[in-house]
Structures are given as C-alpha cells and as structure tokens.
Amino acid sequence: MTYRGNQTRLKRLSLCVAMLAAMQAQNAMAETLHAAAAPTGFDARQSAQTVSELGVTWQVTDNLQDSYNSFLADLTIHNRGAADLEASGWTIYFNFVRDVLAVTPSDQFNVEHINGDFFKLTPAAGFTGLKAGESLKIQLKASFWAISKSDAPAGFYIVKNDGAGGQSVEAITDVTLGAQTTPEQTQRFDGDNMPLDTAEVRFERNRQYLAAAQTGPALLPTPASMTVNEAESLTVAEPFKLYFDRRFMREGRYLQSQLQALGVPVEVVRRCADAANAICLQGAQNSGRAGSDESYQLSTSAASGVRIAADSPTGMFYGVQSLLGLIPLDTYQGGGLPVRLPVVEISDAPRFSYRGMHLDVARHFSQPESVKKLIDVMALYKLNKLHLHLSDDEGWRLEIPGLPELTSVGGKRGHSENELDNLVPSFGSGPFADSNNGSGYFSRRQYIELLRYAAERHIEVVPEFDLPGHARAAIKSMEARAKHFAEAGKPYQGRNFLLSDPEDKSEYKSVQGWKDNVINPCMPTTYFFIDKVVGEVSRMYRQAGLRMPAFHVGADEVPAGVWKKSPACTRMFGSEELSADEVETLNRFFNATVTGIVAAHGTKIAGWEELAFMHEDGGKVVNPHFVGGIMIPYVWNNVWGWGTEDNAYKLANAGYPVVLANATNLYFDLAYQKAPEEPGYYWAGFVDTRRVYEFTPMDVFKAAWVDRMGNPLTDDMWNDRTRLAADKQDMILGVQGELWSENVKTESDLFYLALPKLLGLAERAWSPQPDWANEADQAQRLSGLNQAWSGFAARVGAYDLKRLDSWNGGYDFRVPPPGARVADGMLEANLSFPGLEIRYTLDGSEPTTESPLYDGPVAVSGGVKLKTFTPSGRASRTVELN
Ligand code: TNX
C-alpha cells in the first residue's frame, strides 16, 4: 500500500505506549489449559450423525400483502417415517435471516428467535402430534420479503428428549424449496420495479449491451498502452529458450512452470537468444511510468521472440501474466507446440496501487486449497491484495497460540445449549460440528504458508479481525475459556482475556440479529486480547519473511444500545446508565486505543468506513484525528438513495487514504440478477459482472443507473453530494471486491460469485480510466459504456472464460444462462458472454452437450429448453420457454 508521512504520527500515539509494556507482560502469560478441551457430555454422545424421517417444504406465498413490512410463507412438515411425531418433547431448530412476526396456527406452534439467525420451533398446547405419513402446514409471517432461494430458512434439525434425561439430535435433510413464479412470489413489494430476470428480459439486455459487436481487446485487464501488428504473427515451433536476469528468478520459474503445465516445453538458458523461440526477462533500460514499480514492457516479434522488461520483480510478474494472456486458447486446451503469439508492443502499469479481493472465511470457512485457487486467479488478472475476513459473529478462523479456545470453540458450529464447546449453527450449518463448513480454521502453519504462497504471486494478505461489533465468536470463546479455567481452579487466568462484562444488562440487536456480539471497551482484558492477537498475527508475517501490510479491525455496524448497562462502563462515568454521548465517547476511546495498539506493533490500521467517522450533534462527521496515512478506511455503504453515497469522498477530501468497497458495484456476494434461483443477497441491489466493470471510482455517480428497486437514477439527483477534490485524487488507493460468505458453503459457491465478476474488477483496478467515464451527458455516457462493454464481454466469452474452464484444474465460474425468446414461431437466443455454446431441446428433455447447438434462429412450436455449455461441459442452469 502507499501511505504518506506517518512515522511521526505513529510515534505521537503515546496513548498506547505506556499500556503496551503492561500488555506484553500480560500476554506472555497467556496460559493454555489442556483439560479445557474435553468436550461436555452432549457432543461426546453424539457420535453417529443421524438423519430425521421428517421432511420440510418451504413455499413463499405472498410478498405483497403488507407492502414492504412483511411476507407470508408456508412451512410444511412431513412425517415420512413409520412412527408418529409426539405432541411434545421435541424442538426443531433452524436458521433464517428474517424476523418472524407471527405463526399460524398459534395454538399449536411457537417460533422463537434465539440469537443471530438461529430459531426454534416448538409444539404448543394445541398440537396433538403428527402421524406417520401425514403433513402439516404452518404459516409464517416474517419481515420484509423473500424472493430468492437464499432467503429460505435452512439447517433444520430436531432435538428429541428421550424421556430419560437424554436427547437425540437428527438432521432434517429432506428440504424442498417451492417454486417462485407469480408476482406475489417474485416482487418485493408494490414499489419493486425491478423486472424478474426471465429469458426474455435477458435476451433484451444482452441485445442492448452487445449492440456494438466487437472482437474485444487482445488482453485483459486492458494494458495502459498496446499496439497489435495484425499483419504479422510469431509462431514458436521449437521449445522456448527462457532467459531471466537473476533477480527475476521467481518470475522466470513461475513462467516456466505455467508453460510446462500447458505441455509447452521450455529450456532455461544463460543468455538471451535472438530467435523466435526466445523469451527474455530483463531489467528495464528506461523504466515505464515514473514512480511505478509495477510497470513492465512486453514486445513480441518473429525475429527476437518475446522480450519483457521491468524495473522490479513485481512489474516482471505482471509482464509474465500478460504473456500468458496472449497465449492462444488452443494451447490452454492442450495444443502444445507450435504456439502462435500475436506481434505486440505493450507498455503497461496499473491505475491503482490497491487492487483487492476480500474473502469472508468466517461465515463459512474456505479451505486453504480454495483460498490458494482464488490467489492463483487473482494473480492471473494482476490483483495484488487479498483481504481475509478472519473473524465474525459466526466464526474465528485463525489459530492464536495461547488462546486455543478461539478455534476449538469459536472455530466450530453445531448444536449446543451453552456454547462451551462450539457456537450455535448459522446459515444452515446444521447440528453436527465436525461436518459442515461452519467449522474450520487455518492453523498458524497453514496461514504462514498462505502468506508465502500469496507473496510468491505478488499478493499481500490483509488480515481482518472484526471489532468491537461482529465479534461474537471471540466473545463466546473467551467466556468458555473463563469457565474452563474457573472449573480448573484458576479463575484469574481464565479472565485475563475476557471480552464481555458478565454483569452487562444492555439490550441491543445487531443487523444480523445477535444480542451479545459487541466487545466491551471498559475492561483492560479487552485490550490485552487485542494486543495479543495483533502481536501473534504480526509474528506470523515475520516468520513468513513478510511485513504485515495493515491490520484491519472491522469497526462496522456497532448496534445502538451497547454498553449502556454494563457496570464496568457505568462505573467509569459514575452514571446509572450511559447516555448516547457517553457511548460515543467510549466508541472513540475504543477506536483510538485500538489504533494505538496496532500502531505500536508497527502496522497501519485499516477498518470499515465507520472507523473514520464519529457522531456529533446527532450527525455523522469525519473524525479528524487519524488523517494522514496510518488509518485506512474501506468505504462500503453507498446504497443509492440512502444518503451516504459520498462517504468515500468525504474521507478522502479530509485526508484519509481510502479503499473503495462500494456495495452497489463491488459486493460480489450480491446475486447476479433478480431471479429466485440466483444465489446471494440483494440488499444493496444486484451485482453482475457489468456492474463491477462499469464502476467509476473517481466519481461513483457517473455509473448510477438504477436503484436497488429498479427505479432509474439521473445525474441531477446527486447535485448536493460531495465529490472528490481535484487535489485529493491520490487518496483513492484503489478498489476491492467483497465476497461475504453467508451464501458461500462450497468452493463452487465461491467461484460462482467470484467469477467472472473478478474480471470486471481487474479491468477497473488496473486499466486507465475509460473515456466514457468522462462524458458529461448521461445518455452519451451509457452508450460509450455499452460500446466498451461489448468488447470486454466479447473477449471474456471468447477467451477468458474458456481459459478458466481448464486452467489450474478449471474454475466453477458462473456459466451465463442464455437469453431467449420465441417470436412468430422463431426461437432466438443470445449470451451475456458470447462465445460459449447454447444447446437446446424441443422434446422437454434436459439439454446436454449432445443436444442441438444453437447457431441462429430456429422454427419451433411448443416448449423449448436451453442451456449454456463451456468447452469442458460445465453448464448453466436450464432455461425454459413455453
Ligand atoms: C454488510 S459490509 C456487512 C457484512 C455482511 C454483508 C453482506 C459490512 C462492513 N458489513 O457483515 O456480510 O453486508 O452483504
């Protein structure tokens, strides 16, 4: 990251210095209580993972009956077993990201919110049992709306009392989600003007977006400058002779292994040859752009092969990536020699120094192999920061020596009444702690290996531990630690790192429904904990031979109501109950102290935008105290029409270096389109690859086309919003795609949401600002954007997606479902990324790779089914026209 003058500021943060010595002494004493790991009775008994004979059907019936306030759905329970379900003595647990407002019949069932997204359904007095073979419908009224399969409750399981004081736990795996097709089922409320993403809507959109048919750029992300000599080409029929300067050894070896993986033979030689089959990686004679050490030049010619010149290994790495992006598809598909390369001259350097992807491994854990696979594709597209969200309410994902409970308790989810052994289930993770992606963590060794793996690919890993909100996993882990030590007769040691005040009676609820997820700022042990974690994490970087680029402390979404009735806090102010001002004082104190702790470890502090704002006179204002470089806010909350669209520019103008993480364009966890079968949230709108691609970092209003409900936006709506000052352009460090993982349960889910959005991100992060973004007139701007997008989409469909289909084992990217319509008996179909294959059937069967290929309008009568296929046979979902 590039930060400006800050060493003095780091030193000026004297607040922490005195505290630090005490903390380090304290932290050296972090003790491990091995006996604490022994599980309590429940989990030990639960060895077999039993499946219930109950089934569940979820059917949304009406989103429109109460405007935006609530919707209705039927939850039907089927008894598919041979035994009756008893009238009492059982509880069904499940996860649901909505408030339940009413249950019918209310005399037979209770639905109770436990915490977060965790609910329980219990029989009431009027319930008389459910006979074998019978079903029973329960109507739920819940908050807002549900138009996506991702909104459905999940993770059902039943706990039955066995009558002898014991319990049985059975997962309910037979869960069916009913279709959502009517307006009542697909529209959020009467003001939802966003059309459903039907085959016809897609067809029209593809037509509009791709009106300017083009072949597209020869390379993505588009280089700063590139000329292609169409008249010539370079054919390499002999094994490559690869030369690299000593300091480019790593990059040379990387290139060698990439080529060899494609079946292209490479011989490493000691002198740069003058021949068609030469590849030479050399220091730049005269460097590219002044001040950029990421620049490179690349040229190819029949006479002297491939030449890449760079000032730094990083620049060389990007030159190597560009070469890999020029290698034709048939080579990636197993062609071997000869390799035909275009004849080009490239002079390139990135637009932004921060080109990031964020991955939340807390809500669901991603295995190290999946993270490496993400790192690989980031490197391929010249991204250079991986922001790992390593803790949240629902999980702690990094081993911290001396605090084993963080991972042994906070790194697991499963059924629990007391959370002394694991957290409760979230996001449908189910009752069994050892068999779901709600459980898991990186060992210290694995994390260090990840850091090295990323560094070899010129990617820095920014670790995030979310504080003081979104911190329930840490809080519960430290409560379990206190309990375990107390039971072992060492209460003092157990409380050393406590994050919660046991006497706190404050009432609050976080955005995600947690009632106890905020760290208490009034206890010294909170700061011992933070110092311990920062210290251990920075030690991991040092051991990897690296410097921690920043320590990200979250700081987002602290709910109203926190700390007010914590005796530890009220004592500090001598009041009965804290006032809003006193809570604000505590919040500022917490942020300042944490900043000091992080600074004392020699690291920049990063956080979500909330970290750099404060409340004053009932409003939110920029906190002036941490400008100048040591604190980096990541700005996210710019939902069109919510009034905070310009937060990034307020912060940048005040002197904060800013990373743009705008939800409307860069939240990869938001569904591609409004369609029940598209996974993901949609609270800030729908985010497809085009939304990412069209993002305009320096003036986000330039690409504000439609709000989250589908209403058109016009330029004049933003006249009173703050713009980035001309002399503050440098404060925009760059852009980052956010992949929150509430809906990322598998590696497939991860890459479905990440790809191809990541290609749009790379284009925006690396390539120069496109001309259309400067266009003052909105309609002109849109037409310029469509023109540019046509080329981008053509290149992505014809090359990049096909490359990702096989490269590195192949990626499960989202294969776009075809757009299609039948007009006057003629079927027409198209794709958002032209170049993949559309196949169709007319007999009602599922299209396969053997079905007829669509290559132009077809006369049809009756129903049609279509599907997109990649060269390896990966398929989109099926599209049906009747
Ligand atoms: C908001 S963005 C959050 C996350 C959620 C995300 C889901 C931010 C700083 N907080 O906790 O995962 O929305 O899209």
Side-chain angles (χ1 to χ4, degrees):
M1 293 186 198
T2 48
Y3 314 98
R4 28 204 71 226
N6 42 49
Q7 281 320 102
T8 39
R9 182 157 283 279
L10 282 182
K11 286 186 193 129
R12 256 191 277 141
L13 287 162
S14 53
L15 175 62
C16 61
V17 176
M19 281 167 86
L20 192 71
M23 283 176 187
Q24 281 166 349
Q26 178 76 15
N27 291 345
M29 301 184 335
E31 245 185 276
T32 308
L33 182 71
H34 290 290
T40 58
F42 175 79
D43 279 328
R45 258 182 290 142
Q46 198 54 50
S47 48
Q49 301 190 355
T50 33
V51 173
S52 164
E53 289 183 316
L54 295 181
V56 164
T57 304
W58 168 256
Q59 178 68 64
V60 173
T61 56
D62 197 351
N63 283 305
L64 305 180
Q65 40 82 46
D66 185 20
S67 192
Y68 49 76
N69 297 308
S70 67
F71 72 96
L72 298 176
D74 292 332
L75 186 71
T76 306
I77 300 177
H78 312 278
N79 186 351
R80 308 209 196 276
D84 297 351
L85 175 66
E86 308 269 315
S88 64
W90 56 264
T91 303
I92 291 178
Y93 294 90
F94 61 97
N95 299 114
F96 188 38
V97 286
R98 295 288 186 273
D99 288 336
V100 174
L101 307 172
V103 184
T104 319
S106 62
D107 61 325
Q108 292 189 42
F109 300 100
N110 299 310
V111 172
E112 203 183 308
H113 176 237
I114 301 171
N115 212 338
D117 69 340
F118 195 40
F119 283 84
K120 67 179 183 188
L121 177 126
T122 48
F127 180 66
T128 54
L130 182 60
K131 295 214 160 26
E134 289 188 354
S135 299
L136 200 153
K137 196 191 284 185
I138 304 169
Q139 187 188 65
L140 297 187
K141 181 177 183 179
S143 56
F144 311 123
W145 45 69
I147 56 166
S148 160
K149 68 175 183 185
S150 298
D151 300 331
F156 293 93
Y157 64 94
I158 184 164
V159 176
K160 292 182 197 156
N161 299 334
D162 65 8
Q167 289 184 330
S168 72
V169 177
E170 298 170 3
I172 300 176
T173 56
D174 170 8
V175 176
T176 310
L177 305 184
Q180 292 180 252
T181 53
T182 67
E184 289 77 12
Q185 292 166 328
T186 59
Q187 227 180 306
R188 277 163 279 189
F189 72 113
D190 42 14
D192 182 358
N193 297 314
M194 177 87 64
L196 198 62
D197 190 52
T198 60
E200 289 85 358
V201 165
R202 259 191 320 275
F203 184 79
E204 256 325 298
R205 189 177 56 236
N206 293 342
R207 274 216 317 190
Q208 258 179 41
Y209 279 8
L210 303 174
Q214 286 188 4
T215 45
L219 185 62
L220 289 182
T222 310
S225 143
M226 169 163 70
T227 56
V228 183
N229 181 344
E230 303 280 0
E232 289 177 33
S233 78
L234 163 62
T235 302
V236 181
E238 307 278 308
F240 278 105
K241 288 190 185 308
L242 171 63
Y243 165 83
F244 42 82
D245 285 357
R246 274 183 73 87
R247 64 190 178 116
F248 301 133
M249 170 119 90
R250 269 191 180 185
E251 293 67 36
R253 294 286 177 205
Y254 174 90
L255 175 59
Q256 182 187 13
S257 72
Q258 288 293 320
L259 289 172
Q260 283 170 346
L262 302 179
V264 174
V266 181
E267 188 195 332
V268 174
V269 295
R270 311 188 69 168
R271 194 156 274 131
C272 175
D274 235 344
N277 63 336
I279 303 178
C280 303
L281 314 185
Q282 291 167 305
Q285 301 298 337
N286 41 13
S287 65
R289 287 199 189 161
S292 165
D293 70 346
E294 297 184 291
S295 67
Y296 70 93
Q297 283 98 45
L298 186 158
S299 65
T300 55
S301 71
S304 45
V306 178
R307 302 286 159 115
I308 308 178
D311 276 338
S312 70
T314 308
M316 182 54 70
F317 187 72
Y318 297 133
V320 164
Q321 293 301 351
S322 288
L323 173 58
L324 294 173
L326 294 172
I327 289 178
L329 209 49
D330 60 1
T331 307
Y332 281 97
Q333 292 169 340
L337 291 177
V339 175
R340 272 173 62 94
L341 290 169
V343 170
V344 297
E345 289 280 345
I346 296 175
S347 176
D348 201 8
R351 178 182 183 188
F352 292 114
S353 62
Y354 191 111
R355 305 180 298 278
M357 257 312 286
H358 151 287
L359 178 65
D360 172 3
V361 293
R363 272 55 178 275
H364 286 101
F365 185 61
S366 283
Q367 295 298 329
E369 289 64 40
S370 306
V371 180
K372 285 183 183 167
K373 202 162 174 176
L374 177 63
I375 289 172
D376 292 335
V377 70
M378 287 172 64
L380 198 63
Y381 289 95
K382 305 187 176 100
L383 301 179
N384 68 349
K385 311 284 175 198
L386 174 64
H387 169 176
L388 283 180
H389 186 76
L390 288 159
S391 75
D392 211 299
D393 300 322
E394 302 86 354
W396 181 283
R397 306 302 182 191
L398 181 62
E399 175 190 7
I400 300 294
L403 299 177
E405 297 80 4
L406 283 172
T407 44
S408 69
V409 178
K412 279 197 285 182
R413 294 205 298 259
H415 180 67
S416 179
E417 313 246 319
N418 55 24
E419 298 186 281
L420 290 175
D421 299 300
N422 54 259
L423 306 176
V424 293
S426 281
F427 311 119
S429 52
F432 305 121
D434 294 332
S435 63
N436 69 76
N437 288 340
S439 299
Y441 64 91
F442 301 126
S443 69
R444 193 174 178 278
R445 193 183 52 73
Q446 286 172 322
Y447 190 73
I448 292 168
E449 197 196 313
L450 264 187
L451 297 181
R452 291 197 175 122
Y453 189 87
E456 280 166 20
R457 287 154 186 78
H458 298 272
I459 292 172
E460 288 186 316
V461 180
V462 178
E464 178 187 353
F465 296 89
D466 212 337
L467 313 164
H470 284 283
R472 188 170 186 275
I475 292 170
K476 288 286 139 188
S477 301
M478 292 304 98
E479 285 175 3
R481 176 184 173 87
K483 185 105 196 275
H484 295 150
F485 270 97
E487 282 165 2
K490 296 178 160 186
Y492 173 73
Q493 286 89 332
R495 284 198 306 267
N496 275 354
F497 295 96
L498 204 58
L499 299 169
S500 50
D501 173 0
E503 307 297 320
D504 191 351
K505 299 276 179 315
S506 307
E507 282 168 40
Y508 59 89
K509 203 154 127 184
S510 76
V511 181
Q512 283 84 1
W514 297 105
K515 300 184 266 194
D516 51 0
N517 73 334
V518 183
I519 286 176
N520 190 293
C522 309
M523 310 193 313
T525 50
T526 285
Y527 304 100
F528 292 151
F529 175 89
I530 295 168
D531 181 63
K532 168 78 178 161
V533 171
V534 181
E536 291 295 344
V537 176
S538 68
R539 222 188 311 283
M540 293 180 211
Y541 281 77
R542 284 202 298 281
Q543 193 165 329
L546 301 165
R547 226 175 50 89
M548 180 154 64
F551 189 92
H552 194 298
V553 298
D556 55 318
E557 299 183 321
V558 178
V562 290
W563 310 327
K564 286 184 157 199
K565 298 183 191 170
S566 153
C569 294
T570 54
R571 270 198 299 273
M572 284 174 73
F573 291 89
S575 46
E576 282 276 295
E577 182 177 328
L578 300 187
S579 67
D581 285 346
E582 286 164 342
V583 171
E584 173 65 12
T585 299
L586 280 180
N587 200 42
R588 288 185 204 178
F589 168 76
F590 180 82
N591 287 345
T593 309
V594 171
T595 302
I597 292 172
V598 174
H601 284 277
T603 302
K604 317 278 178 203
I605 187 166
W608 300 107
E609 62 193 51
E610 288 93 325
L611 186 65
F613 280 105
M614 55 187 204
H615 290 92
E616 212 165 70
D617 304 327
K620 220 172 64 174
V621 297
V622 174
N623 183 334
H625 296 118
F626 298 104
V627 298
I630 76 148
M631 184 187 281
I632 305 145
Y634 286 52
V635 179
W636 61 280
N637 196 350
N638 75 313
V639 179
W640 305 122
W642 284 6
T644 54
E645 303 87 348
D646 53 2
N647 275 350
Y649 305 142
K650 286 184 175 157
L651 292 170
N653 291 351
Y656 281 102
V658 167
V659 173
L660 299 175
N662 295 41
T664 54
N665 295 74
L666 303 175
Y667 266 33
F668 284 26
D669 62 309
L670 302 185
Y672 280 83
Q673 302 292 347
K674 182 184 167 189
E677 50 282 346
E678 279 297 342
Y681 286 167
Y682 47 87
W683 62 268
F686 297 87
V687 174
D688 63 0
T689 305
R690 157 87 171 220
R691 283 272 173 273
V692 183
Y693 173 88
E694 72 189 17
F695 184 60
T696 44
M698 297 306 180
D699 183 354
V700 296
F701 304 103
K702 285 281 194 295
W705 311 110
V706 63
D707 74 8
R708 68 189 196 128
M709 289 302 168
N711 303 303
L713 301 170
T714 52
D715 286 356
D716 56 2
M717 298 169 85
W718 317 113
N719 290 341
D720 66 342
R721 301 298 200 279
T722 303
R723 302 303 159 106
L724 183 60
D727 63 340
K728 290 293 192 285
Q729 308 271 319
D730 286 356
M731 302 313 290
I732 305 297
L733 296 180
V735 296
Q736 177 168 281
E738 271 51 45
L739 186 38
W740 299 100
S741 64
E742 290 92 336
N743 292 298
V744 178
K745 297 181 195 197
T746 64
E747 187 184 286
S748 270
D749 296 344
L750 191 169
F751 288 114
Y752 186 98
L753 290 167
L755 293 169
K757 293 189 202 195
L758 185 143
L759 306 192
L761 175 74
E763 182 71 4
R764 212 38 73 223
W766 180 277
S767 305
Q769 169 153 306
D771 288 340
W772 62 262
N774 299 321
E775 184 61 63
D777 178 73
Q778 193 181 27
Q780 295 280 353
R781 205 158 62 234
L782 182 59
S783 110
L785 165 60
N786 283 344
Q787 178 84 23
W789 169 260
S790 288
F792 175 84
R795 158 80 189 192
V796 170
Y799 181 85
D800 295 85
L801 288 184
K802 292 179 180 171
R803 172 162 75 151
L804 292 174
D805 195 34
S806 58
W807 183 72
N808 202 17
Y811 283 80
D812 272 341
F813 55 83
R814 176 180 184 269
V815 181
R821 68 169 183 192
V822 176
D824 299 329
M826 297 299 283
L827 166 71
E828 291 175 90
N830 61 13
L831 282 174
S832 49
F833 296 104
L836 302 175
E837 290 181 345
I838 303 175
R839 294 185 181 267
Y840 65 95
T841 60
L842 302 174
D843 60 3
S845 64
E846 266 303 287
T848 68
T849 52
E850 307 298 311
S851 306
L853 179 71
Y854 176 88
D855 59 2
V858 195
V860 296
S861 59
V864 186
K865 283 189 177 175
L866 308 103
K867 235 171 162 160
T868 311
F869 290 93
T870 69
S872 78
R874 283 176 223 275
S876 71
R877 65 172 189 264
T878 305
V879 171
E880 245 185 292
L881 286 176
N882 294 307

